[in-house]
Amino acid sequence: MRRLGALLWLTLVLLASGYLVLRLHDGLGFRTDLLALLPREEQDPVLQRANDAVTKALGRRVLALVGHADRETARKAATTLGDALLATGQVERIGEGIDVDRLKRLGALYFPHRQSLLSDGDRALLATGKGEEVATRALSQAFGFAGLVDAGLLRNDPFLLLPSFLTNLPFPLSRLAPDEGMLSVTENGTTWVLVSAVLAGEPFELDLQDRLIGAFDAAVRDIPGVTVKRLGAVFFAHAGSKTAITEASTLGTLSLVGTILLVGLAFRRPGPLLHNLLALGVGMTVGLSGSLLLFGELHVAALLFGSSLIGVAVDYSLHYSASLFDPLSGSPRDRLRHVLPGIALGLVTTLIGYAALMLAPFPGLRQIAAFSIIGLVAAFLTVVLWLPSLDRARRLTHGALMLRAAAGLWSFWEARRWRGVRLVLVLGCVLAGAVGLARLSADDDVRRLQAVSAELRHEQDEIQRLIGATTAAQFLLVQAADDEAALRRQEDLAATLAGLKAKGSIAGYQMPAAFVPSARTQRENRALVATALDAPLLAAQRASLGLPPAEPNGKVPEEVLTLGDALATDSVPFLRELVLGPGLHVVALQGLRDPNAVRAAVAGTAGVRLVDPTADFSALLAKYRHRALLLSGLAGLLMLPVLMWRYGWRGGLWTLLPPGAALILAPAAVGLMGQDFTFFHAMALVLILSIGVDYAVFCAESGVEQQPVTMLAVWLATLTTLLSFGLLAFSAVPAVHSFGMTMLVGISIAFLFAPLAARGARHNEATTSARLL
């Protein structure tokens, strides 16, 4: 029967390996967007749709400024860079902006409706009876020294209302000016030319990042003497993914090498080392293959955390191999029979902890949990089904000093002579826990998720300053029955936004109604023009311009410009990004400095709400930080019946004491170190409980004669865990660092208190082994 199980397991491992080879051949898909680790909270689907649309639009935009003291050199370099990006096939279009061609298309769109479109300034003048000022301004533009007004335009628009409307449109790139088909700005003798692009795919796709940024960097290298600044989510994502992948490789290698050296030094024979590497390799291979099969693609964080599985998956094979030091170990079958209760119970309790991660609605964390659960089960089955058949090792006779040293911790908790020191240690832990928890504060800022390149951040700030725009994702969502109602709401909101701008709460805003006024406003504008300009001033204005009197039938058509017309021509830049659907519009906010003031200002406006993804995600992190703490408690409650069935109620509580102490003291250590407690600290507590209870179970299962051997196995398991999870504390990614630091402290504490688990299990030792076997 055992041989059949071994063959079946071999078949599954070969199938998993074959599947993994195929996926490697086709190219593994990894997500690099760290926000994908966050939950998709149940919320208003309209709000979620708007949030996704704005985030997607911002994420796919790429901006670069090419600077040089010579204007022509800067223009040629910008053209070269744009061509290189387009040649990659990863760019949907180049040149989203306000160039000459687009201005012509804008004129063609707006011209038939020129008397229905007024700038805010002209509308205010006409409403207050100051039409003469509008007429005088038009004359000065027509006859001024720099007058560039076309005679045909004057004939049809003698008050130059349309140029005034176009000039005052709130385009976001406020400092840029058209320059022979390109947008540019000059500062301190340097001409900066804009290169803008829209990605064809998602900025977090590794293949897109590699192709686009490779072409970008190559083009910059081939253009000597120019300065290039870049801005876009794809650049930040590429830097973050490089960091994560490099860390996964580096930390995984260090963990593996450290584990090999540790096992090699402890056992001094190739057999135990090969057995542990086999269990580890099978666990990693099956875990990765199973995760890819379940999810299709993996988050790069799952790869990074999955590399830390090394320190846990090796526990079962280490416990089996450590039995070689036991004089009573006997045959391989006897060794397995002796350690099976401990590693089986350890697996169950560990899986309970990892299963708690599956309850969190975080896609990335579910992948980590699935990777770990599959890998741990694979490592366990390898130990149980294969190692006894492959094991040819004889009992180890070396290591007496190592065994005595390993048993020292057990002696510390048992020997009378250490009673005073134990008391001081416990009191010190209680004091440190109280002080640390009192100093502990939470910080759920979502920007803690990833390390942001300082160089890219500086370039982003410089580009935003030079072009006069920001890339903030905050916006106002306007929802109404149809487009006309939505446009009217925006117009009613304009005075409020102008007041916020005057107070410095925002730097500016763009709304669809500024580009296409509502039909109500267009009709009011036409009436104002007729009564305040045409009736009293048109004849004199045409005479002053040397134009013949207006023809009686030369009236402007009364049809209004609709939002659908503007979208159909695709001539208004950025308008499509502001209109998500009929009656669902976005008011983009530039330079939002006081979200609370904006939220309060629009609170009484029906159908208008501020959407701040950063604040929303941070609020979600706070919510799920509390849930993560509840998950830790839930995992402990689920473990307790299993432990009480094995050890009785007293033994179950003693077995949970070591990981329970770690759950309290690890956050306290975070507070003592002056760090803020985050969601990722809280999630680490779930794993501290599930891994820490392993050590307690191993100690609870140990008889008096096996205490040195058991403690050696626990020592080795702890060190390999610290080599894997503990190394994450050195990650440059803040979220990973927080997780790793908590694991480092918590696992150390769980190990320190692990021998206490044996106290409550002693009286059950004779009966519980038979129950599990």
Side-chain angles (χ1 to χ4, degrees):
M1 189 66 181
R2 188 180 296 273
R3 179 173 296 180
L4 178 61
L7 289 175
L8 289 175
W9 180 233
L10 176 62
T11 302
L12 289 175
V13 172
L14 291 176
L15 288 174
S17 302
Y19 176 74
L20 185 59
V21 169
L22 288 176
R23 291 301 305 268
L24 288 171
H25 180 268
D26 296 336
L28 293 179
F30 288 106
R31 292 289 305 276
T32 62
D33 180 10
L34 285 180
L35 291 180
L37 292 172
L38 297 178
R40 303 286 291 182
E41 181 72 350
E42 297 82 2
Q43 59 180 349
D44 184 348
V46 173
L47 181 61
Q48 187 63 56
R49 173 187 168 195
N51 207 340
D52 291 345
V54 173
T55 303
K56 181 178 180 179
L58 287 175
R60 289 191 173 188
R61 188 169 298 280
V62 174
L63 299 178
L65 284 181
V66 181
H68 196 275
D70 179 65
R71 170 180 170 273
E72 286 302 319
T73 301
R75 289 169 58 85
K76 290 179 181 179
T79 301
T80 300
L81 180 58
D83 291 342
L85 294 180
L86 199 58
T88 63
Q90 306 301 313
V91 172
E92 190 174 272
R93 62 181 184 271
I94 292 284
E96 178 79 39
I98 319 166
D99 53 22
V100 173
D101 291 338
R102 174 153 267 168
L103 285 176
K104 290 181 179 178
R105 282 186 284 145
L106 273 176
L109 172 70
Y110 287 136
F111 185 76
H113 309 279
R114 56 192 176 278
Q115 287 190 297
S116 301
L117 306 173
L118 294 175
S119 66
D120 290 340
D122 288 350
R123 182 180 170 89
L125 289 173
L126 297 182
T128 54
K130 298 178 181 179
E132 295 86 353
E133 294 187 21
V134 176
T136 302
R137 183 202 64 210
L139 291 174
S140 65
Q141 290 177 347
F143 297 114
F145 176 76
L148 299 175
V149 180
D150 179 77
L153 177 62
L154 279 173
R155 189 179 306 111
N156 292 284
D157 188 9
F159 296 106
L160 297 181
L161 299 176
L162 182 59
S164 177
F165 175 79
L166 292 174
T167 302
N168 287 276
L169 287 177
F171 294 119
L173 309 179
S174 59
R175 295 195 62 198
L176 297 175
D179 179 13
E180 296 186 26
M182 292 183 170
L183 292 174
S184 65
V185 61
T186 301
E187 182 179 86
N188 299 327
T190 299
T191 298
W192 296 96
V193 180
L194 178 72
V195 178
S196 64
V198 176
L199 300 178
E202 295 301 322
F204 303 103
E205 297 175 2
L206 288 176
D207 184 59
L208 182 148
Q209 293 174 17
D210 292 339
R211 292 187 182 183
L212 184 87
I213 296 177
F216 190 102
D217 292 340
V220 171
R221 287 194 299 269
D222 293 339
I223 311 173
V226 300
T227 302
V228 179
K229 301 181 184 297
R230 66 193 72 190
L231 171 62
V234 65
F235 299 112
F236 288 97
H238 183 254
S241 63
K242 281 178 60 179
T243 299
I245 292 173
T246 300
E247 286 186 356
S249 175
T250 302
L251 298 181
T253 300
L254 289 174
S255 178
L256 181 59
V257 171
T259 299
I260 291 173
L261 290 175
L262 186 64
V263 174
L265 290 174
F267 296 100
R268 304 181 192 175
R269 287 185 185 175
L273 176 59
L274 293 176
H275 295 162
N276 282 277
L277 289 178
L278 176 64
L280 178 59
V282 170
M284 295 295 289
T285 299
V286 176
L288 180 57
S289 179
S291 300
L292 288 171
L293 183 63
L294 286 175
F295 301 105
E297 64 176 7
L298 288 181
H299 196 284
V300 71
L303 180 65
L304 180 58
F305 284 102
S307 66
S308 302
L309 180 64
I310 294 171
V312 186
V314 79
D315 285 2
Y316 312 123
S317 55
L318 279 175
H319 204 55
Y320 173 85
S321 298
S323 64
L324 290 170
F325 288 101
D326 189 352
L328 304 177
S329 61
S331 68
R333 302 293 180 193
D334 292 334
R335 288 198 286 272
L336 177 62
R337 190 177 299 110
H338 177 71
V339 302
L340 184 57
I343 63 175
L345 191 59
L347 174 69
V348 171
T349 53
T350 302
L351 293 184
I352 289 173
Y354 276 106
L357 286 181
M358 296 291 289
L359 299 177
F362 285 47
L365 294 180
R366 284 178 174 173
Q367 291 182 8
I368 294 169
F371 192 126
S372 302
I373 289 172
I374 296 171
L376 289 176
V377 171
F380 175 82
L381 291 176
T382 301
V383 171
V384 173
L385 297 176
W386 288 359
L387 290 197
S389 300
L390 298 174
D391 188 5
R392 298 292 184 270
R394 292 170 294 177
R395 189 178 71 85
L396 299 174
T397 56
H398 73 277
L401 180 61
M402 184 171 56
L403 289 169
R404 285 198 300 271
L409 181 61
W410 204 304
S411 176
F412 171 78
W413 289 107
E414 296 288 339
R416 288 181 174 272
R417 67 179 183 275
W418 297 111
R419 179 179 295 177
V421 178
R422 290 198 298 268
L423 180 60
V424 171
L425 173 64
V426 171
L427 290 177
C429 288
V430 171
L431 179 61
V435 174
L437 292 177
R439 295 181 57 183
L440 192 64
S441 60
D443 185 353
D444 300 295
D445 193 335
V446 72
R447 287 165 289 192
R448 283 181 171 270
L449 281 174
Q450 59 186 14
V452 177
S453 166
E455 180 182 357
L456 288 176
R457 173 69 72 182
H458 176 71
E459 290 188 16
Q460 171 182 280
D461 294 341
E462 281 294 293
I463 288 179
Q464 291 177 350
R465 183 185 62 80
L466 286 167
I467 69 178
T470 65
T471 57
Q474 298 97 333
F475 60 93
L476 293 176
L477 181 63
V478 179
Q479 189 174 2
D482 51 36
D483 284 334
E484 173 66 14
L487 292 174
R488 291 186 181 187
R489 283 185 177 173
Q490 293 163 48
E491 291 166 347
D492 295 339
L493 190 64
T496 300
L497 293 177
L500 290 169
K501 183 178 178 181
K503 295 177 182 178
S505 299
I506 58 175
Y509 56 92
Q510 290 83 40
M511 60 173 61
F515 298 96
V516 181
S518 66
R520 177 190 64 182
T521 298
Q522 291 186 52
R523 294 188 183 98
E524 291 174 356
N525 288 344
R526 190 181 301 126
L528 273 176
V529 171
T531 58
L533 279 179
D534 287 351
L537 302 172
L538 179 59
Q541 184 79 353
R542 296 185 68 86
S544 299
L545 292 170
L547 299 174
E551 298 180 5
N553 297 325
K555 294 183 179 181
V556 177
E558 294 189 3
E559 292 84 1
V560 297
L561 176 65
T562 67
L563 199 57
D565 295 336
L567 292 173
T569 61
D570 196 27
S571 58
V572 183
F574 311 108
L575 179 61
R576 192 170 297 279
E577 296 174 3
L578 300 178
V579 181
L580 306 181
L584 189 62
H585 298 177
V586 165
V587 178
L589 301 177
Q590 297 288 330
L592 177 60
R593 301 183 184 91
D594 191 348
N596 291 331
V598 175
R599 188 175 285 107
V602 303
T605 307
V608 179
R609 49 184 160 174
L610 175 67
V611 181
D612 186 353
T614 300
D616 292 342
F617 277 130
S618 297
L620 279 178
L621 279 182
K623 179 178 179 179
Y624 282 93
R625 172 173 49 82
H626 292 107
R627 289 192 182 181
L629 295 175
L630 292 177
L631 282 177
S632 299
L634 175 62
L637 290 176
L638 292 175
M639 292 175 185
L640 189 57
V642 178
L643 297 174
M644 292 176 66
W645 167 79
R646 177 68 174 170
Y647 306 117
W649 71 269
R650 184 180 301 173
L653 292 176
W654 273 102
T655 307
L656 271 183
L657 176 61
L663 290 185
I664 297 173
L665 293 177
V670 174
L672 289 174
M673 289 185 286
Q675 297 182 5
D676 293 314
F677 193 73
T678 69
F679 164 78
F680 288 92
H681 290 100
M683 291 308 300
L685 298 181
V686 179
L687 300 190
I688 289 172
L689 176 66
S690 59
I691 297 172
V693 79
D694 260 9
Y695 308 152
V697 166
F698 293 159
C699 291
E701 290 290 331
S702 176
V704 176
E705 296 81 3
Q706 286 78 37
Q707 286 180 0
V709 175
T710 299
M711 283 312 300
L712 176 62
V714 174
W715 266 100
L716 294 174
T718 302
L719 290 175
T720 55
T721 301
L722 294 180
L723 279 172
S724 53
F725 283 111
L727 285 176
L728 296 179
F730 299 97
S731 172
V733 181
V736 179
H737 167 78
S738 300
F739 187 93
M741 181 60 69
T742 310
M743 291 294 296
L744 180 65
V745 174
I747 292 299
S748 299
I749 294 171
F751 164 74
L752 176 64
F753 288 99
L756 291 175
R759 294 192 174 189
R762 284 173 184 158
H763 65 283
N764 288 358
E765 184 177 1
T767 58
T768 53
S769 294
R771 287 184 182 176
L772 193 57
L773 292 173

